[in-house]
């Protein structure tokens, strides 16, 4: 599997429901869990990530604090409108360390991903990193396929 910072893929955060100058939304995609975006309270909170071109997404990992419920929606057009729901997840409460949740999107193609935090374990939540984990691609037709490990045992 290939892990990549979304910034390195040319992605941008194009909308965030709230912003704090010390913890801007761009921190979500910089690949660093020590930087973060912080909500300003009340729910729902949301942010939208735009890719430079439609991108196949196998699994997205979200590293956060105090997020209770997250919905992910996608669209495939250049305009950030007409989203369709592709995943929902209830996050476990973790005291004193990051919540790290891998959410399978099954190779969905998206120009935009909208993350909607519908509830939290506190009034404020933080998102430290959203990361795309791509499945390796077949060299023949570029389909995504699971990684297979073959062990060869030789007899003497």
């Amino acid at each position: 599997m290939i892990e990549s910072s979304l910034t390195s893929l040319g992605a941008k955060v194009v909308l965030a429901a709230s912003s704090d100058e010390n913890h801007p939304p761009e921190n979500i995609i910089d690949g660093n869990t020590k930087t973060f975006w912080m909500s300003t309270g009340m729910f729902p909170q949301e942010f939208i990530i735009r890719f430079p071109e439609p991108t196949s997404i196998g699994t997205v990992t979200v590293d956060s604090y105090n997020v209770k419920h997250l919905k992910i929606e996608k669209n495939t057009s250049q305009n950030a409108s007409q989203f369709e729901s592709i995943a929902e997840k209830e996050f476990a409460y973790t005291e004193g360390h990051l919540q790290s949740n891998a959410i399978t999107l099954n190779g969905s193609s998206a120009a935009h991903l909208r993350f909607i935090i519908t509830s939290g374990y506190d009034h404020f939540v933080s998102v430290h990193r959203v990361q795309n984990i791509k499945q390796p691609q077949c060299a023949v037709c570029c389909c995504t396929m699971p990684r297979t490990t073959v062990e060869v045992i030789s007899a003497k």
Side-chain angles (χ1 to χ4, degrees):
M1 303 236 199
I2 303 163
E3 295 184 10
S4 56
S5 113
L6 294 180
T7 301
S8 69
L9 297 174
K12 295 184 184 303
V13 177
V14 294
L15 178 129
S18 57
S19 187
D20 176 319
E21 65 185 37
N22 295 319
H23 307 290
E26 296 77 24
N27 288 348
I28 295 169
I29 60 171
D30 68 3
N32 183 354
T33 58
K34 292 182 182 180
T35 63
F36 56 91
W37 166 73
M38 180 173 271
S39 73
T40 55
M42 298 185 41
F43 296 98
Q45 291 285 322
E46 72 178 66
F47 56 92
I48 297 175
I49 297 172
R50 179 182 66 213
F51 298 96
E53 58 189 43
T55 301
S56 176
I57 302 167
T59 301
V60 69
T61 300
V62 178
D63 295 310
S64 58
Y65 273 121
N66 289 325
V67 172
K68 185 173 187 179
H69 186 258
L70 176 73
K71 292 185 348 182
I72 301 175
E73 300 176 343
K74 73 166 189 168
N75 92 350
T76 54
S77 72
Q78 288 302 88
N79 298 325
S81 62
Q82 298 180 333
F83 285 84
E84 69 177 270
S85 182
I86 55 172
E88 285 192 50
K89 181 142 184 165
E90 193 85 16
F91 289 11
Y93 179 68
T94 57
E95 189 170 334
H97 59 88
L98 284 176
Q99 300 163 299
S100 188
N101 289 274
I103 303 163
T104 301
L105 303 182
N106 296 320
S108 291
S109 181
H112 297 89
L113 286 179
R114 177 164 51 190
F115 295 78
I116 304 168
I117 302 166
T118 60
S119 62
Y121 289 102
D122 197 348
H123 296 292
F124 300 95
V125 300
S126 60
V127 178
H128 293 248
R129 179 173 60 185
V130 172
Q131 188 169 355
N132 180 19
I133 301 174
K134 294 182 177 180
Q135 291 286 0
Q137 290 188 331
C138 166
V140 176
C141 66
C142 297
C143 68
T144 57
M145 54 190 216
R147 182 171 292 217
T148 305
T149 303
V150 178
E151 183 177 346
V152 177
I153 301 171
S154 62
K156 290 188 179 189

